[in-house]
Amino acid sequence: MTATTPEPLTSDDDWWRSAVVYQVYVRSFADANGDGVGDIPGIRERLPYLRDLGVDALWLTPFYTSPQIDAGYDVADYRDVDPLFGSLTDFDAMITDAHALGLRIIVDLVPNHTSSAHPWFTAALAAAPGSPERARYLFADGRGETGELPPNDWESIFGGPAWTRLPDGQWYMHLFDPAQPDLNWRHPEVRAEFEDVLRFWLDRGVDGFRIDVAHGMIKAEGLPDVGFNSMTTGQRQSELLGKGRLPYFDQDEVHEIYRAWRPILDSYPGGRMAVAEAWAETPQRLARYIGADELHQAFSFDFLDATWSADSFRKVIDTALAESTIVGAPTTWVLSNHDRQRHVTRYGDGEVGLRRARAAALLMLALPGAAYVYQGEELGLPEVLDLPDELRQDPSFLRTGESRDGCRVPIPWSGELAPYGFGPEGSELSWLPAPATWRGLSVAAQTGVPGSTLELYRAALRARHEHPALAGTAGGVVWLETEPGVLAFSRAAGPAVLTCVVNLSGAEVTIDGYGQPVVASADLTERGEGHVLPVDAAAWFERR
Ligand code: NOJ
């Protein structure tokens, strides 16, 4: 432990069960040094904003030493901060301040692959085929007469073959970019290294880990073919994510890794946790990642694919709640993250999309379990759809034409001109440009403005903490009879009942009998004994 190691927050070991976790996409959150890229001192300066917003924890995307080929998901040194984002001293100061404000810190762990600039990989490249240095990764000879064909038909998630050939003839495997070689998790040194990395960050006071590609570390023995890929049948293997079996995902042996990690997490005080970014064929298989001897949570990504309809949302909620019942752990809700189009845009963009996104926020925040809020959704930010191609940086863009840059545009904080206070006073730099339409969406433009999306999130988060039926893990979901296209459920704690109603019906509806409104995503008008809930709106009502 270092002298500056902060004390963990110890009040509640089960904090993660009902936490609202704010995802900080570090390079786009706040830029303290004016180089146009967000950094850790920038996060530190903005901690009071997050405390006032009412979230419980922050998940920071990777800030480790990295060539930044995949925005930091290509790690060259797991125990240091990239100078682009600051230093370990900055990290320690940030976590100390966060804890002092009651905010927990979750960091991203990237164990499936390293950067090609990692010393292990450079040593592997310098060493001969069959050498111990190569054994830490997945090197193989090719097929064909002279080994000119990749060892199997596996495809990179970013498009193209999952294999790259070296001048000496061998191939190495990468499920993502060629700059992200996959590790061989059957190698004891790899396992020991990551157990040590976990301890390194736990010693520095982190409260948890988000595990990147948590389902990917073990590949099927013998590296068997999938049987098809975009080259042969036109179907991309990644289309099976979350729906089918692939020899490089969700292998049974991967659970051994988490069974070794859990005692490490449990040996630290204060409820240290881990959440899996995992994709599995069935809810039952996904549930295997969670439990008292493995990880605490696995993201439920179903909301990301839900369309704006009562049936679609109801199905997502019922499935996720059933999944969590299987393992006896609470679920997690995600409307947006740094890999998907922002939900304002998914729901129709413009005013309609914003109205729906605000309603979806009230739906998500009324549900039991943990909610993950992606930075900027509290401002109602849409996807930026018209970024010039030459500015796009996502490595998958070049390979597939699909780019995740539009949801990664820096946060607008204040001011009249882009980048809207992203950097220090007077700084005009930002690694991606914010559109002119974001002026009215900045934090400053929305603070204290009744009805703004920011104030809606603040009010909802306050009520979520304070209302007995929403606080903690109280109150399961009880669905109520409604008109078609309207979702309504209650949660109760003793006599206190909170009812969330979402109107996806396309026509206004009158809500009566659920008590007084607590928070609403659009203006409610009184009608008789009840209230009119407009189209694409949601509201919470309470009875005590
Ligand atoms: C999932 C991360 O969320 C994504 O941003 C990244 O590109 C891949 N894993 C590879 O690490």
Side-chain angles (χ1 to χ4, degrees):
M1 283 213 194
T2 59
T4 54
T5 299
E7 285 302 308
L9 286 174
T10 49
S11 53
D12 174 11
D13 282 6
D14 281 341
W15 64 273
W16 47 273
R17 290 179 176 272
S18 57
V20 176
V21 182
Y22 185 93
Q23 181 189 350
V24 175
Y25 193 68
V26 178
R27 62 171 44 235
S28 302
F29 186 64
D31 169 22
N33 68 358
D35 65 354
V37 179
D39 45 39
I40 290 179
I43 300 171
R44 188 176 174 209
E45 284 171 13
R46 301 291 185 178
L47 290 171
Y49 165 76
L50 297 171
R51 189 253 339 256
D52 294 347
L53 178 60
V55 300
D56 304 294
L58 278 51
W59 148 33
L60 310 187
T61 53
F63 48 77
Y64 316 107
T65 314
S66 159
Q68 304 294 327
I69 301 293
D70 185 20
Y73 283 95
D74 47 322
V75 181
D77 182 350
Y78 288 86
R79 295 180 187 76
D80 208 350
V81 173
D82 196 294
L84 189 62
F85 302 126
S87 64
L88 276 175
T89 311
D90 294 331
F91 180 85
D92 292 340
M94 186 272 302
I95 199 168
T96 301
D97 284 9
H99 283 174
L101 293 173
L103 295 166
R104 289 184 159 89
I105 299 291
I106 295 172
V107 296
D108 216 314
L109 188 72
V110 190
N112 178 69
H113 43 266
T114 68
S115 158
S116 53
H118 190 284
W120 277 2
F121 196 71
T122 49
L125 291 187
S131 59
E133 287 82 356
R134 288 204 176 177
R136 297 190 196 109
Y137 291 90
L138 297 167
F139 282 86
D141 294 329
R143 295 198 283 205
E145 254 170 51
T146 57
E148 74 283 8
L149 299 172
N152 65 21
D153 66 359
W154 295 3
E155 235 173 352
S156 157
I157 307 296
F158 290 165
W163 295 91
T164 290
R165 197 172 194 198
L166 298 172
D168 64 25
Q170 270 214 316
W171 298 74
Y172 71 90
M173 213 214 73
H174 49 86
L175 285 181
F176 296 90
D177 192 82
Q180 295 166 293
D182 279 49
L183 284 163
N184 171 14
W185 271 87
R186 293 202 174 89
H187 197 300
E189 273 180 45
V190 172
R191 296 203 181 202
E193 168 69 0
F194 277 88
E195 290 176 12
D196 195 65
V197 168
L198 285 176
R199 288 198 180 89
F200 178 87
W201 292 102
L202 289 164
D203 286 344
R204 292 201 108 82
V206 306
D207 300 283
F209 297 90
R210 177 260 188 193
I211 315 295
D212 188 59
V213 201
H215 54 310
M217 281 109 95
I218 297 288
K219 279 73 182 177
E221 288 283 8
L223 310 179
D225 278 340
V226 172
F228 69 87
N229 63 28
S230 2
M231 298 289 289
T232 56
T233 62
Q235 192 194 354
R236 276 174 71 177
Q237 292 171 1
S238 59
E239 285 171 27
L240 286 191
L241 261 187
K243 300 188 197 91
R245 293 302 287 283
L246 288 162
Y248 44 82
F249 282 148
D250 193 31
Q251 302 296 304
D252 291 343
E253 222 180 303
V254 81
H255 296 283
E256 282 174 15
I257 299 168
Y258 303 125
R259 285 195 284 270
W261 286 6
R262 185 57 181 262
I264 298 173
L265 293 169
D266 288 348
S267 71
Y268 285 79
R272 315 293 177 105
M273 56 76 78
V275 53
E277 187 232 359
W279 298 85
E281 189 180 4
T282 59
Q284 284 74 12
R285 286 198 69 88
L286 185 65
R288 297 171 73 204
Y289 290 80
I290 321 166
D293 63 344
E294 293 205 24
L295 303 175
H296 299 70
Q297 295 176 332
F299 286 121
S300 162
F301 286 131
D302 296 344
F303 261 140
L304 295 172
D305 294 321
T307 53
W308 184 256
S309 82
D311 286 351
S312 171
F313 278 9
R314 171 84 191 249
K315 190 161 162 252
V316 166
I317 295 166
D318 283 340
T319 309
L321 292 176
E323 276 165 24
S324 66
T325 310
I326 296 172
V327 284
T331 188
T332 61
W333 307 103
V334 184
L335 288 169
S336 276
N337 65 27
H338 66 294
D339 290 332
R340 288 297 191 95
Q341 190 176 73
R342 283 187 177 274
H343 58 279
V344 166
T345 303
R346 292 204 317 267
Y347 296 152
D349 218 24
E351 272 181 40
V352 172
L354 179 59
R355 230 174 28 232
R356 293 176 172 176
R358 291 163 55 99
L362 288 194
L363 172 65
M364 171 173 82
L365 294 173
L367 289 166
Y372 282 76
V373 171
Y374 179 47
Q375 68 177 35
E377 76 176 63
E378 80 280 18
L379 303 174
L381 297 187
E383 185 84 0
V384 179
L385 297 168
D386 58 356
L387 285 172
D389 285 356
E390 63 276 12
L391 294 183
R392 292 186 186 268
Q393 298 200 12
D394 184 353
S396 73
F397 180 60
L398 290 179
R399 289 170 149 245
T400 62
E402 287 163 22
S403 147
R404 299 166 294 178
D405 295 299
C407 63
R408 300 176 175 180
V409 171
I411 293 295
W413 290 96
S414 59
E416 302 296 305
L417 292 175
Y420 307 112
F422 172 58
E425 182 98 47
S427 166
E428 290 176 6
L429 298 176
S430 75
W431 72 280
L432 285 175
T437 46
W438 282 18
R439 188 163 58 103
L441 294 177
S442 75
V443 171
Q446 297 195 44
T447 300
V449 175
S452 71
T453 305
L454 178 57
E455 293 302 339
L456 172 69
Y457 267 76
R458 284 188 178 149
L461 290 171
R462 205 176 314 120
R464 182 178 157 108
H465 277 288
E466 288 170 2
H467 200 281
L470 294 184
T473 47
V477 166
V478 177
W479 290 107
L480 306 171
E481 286 276 326
T482 59
E483 300 168 35
V486 177
L487 288 179
F489 65 85
S490 290
R491 292 177 61 195
V497 180
L498 189 127
T499 303
C500 172
V501 189
V502 192
N503 182 4
L504 304 101
S505 74
E508 62 178 36
V509 287
T510 305
I511 310 296
D512 197 358
Y514 301 141
Q516 287 310 305
V518 182
V519 195
S521 71
D523 286 341
L524 304 178
T525 44
E526 290 185 12
R527 179 180 288 166
E529 302 283 289
H531 294 88
V532 176
L533 184 63
V535 174
D536 295 336
W540 296 353
F541 299 88
E542 70 166 343
R543 268 187 285 117
R544 299 221 188 198

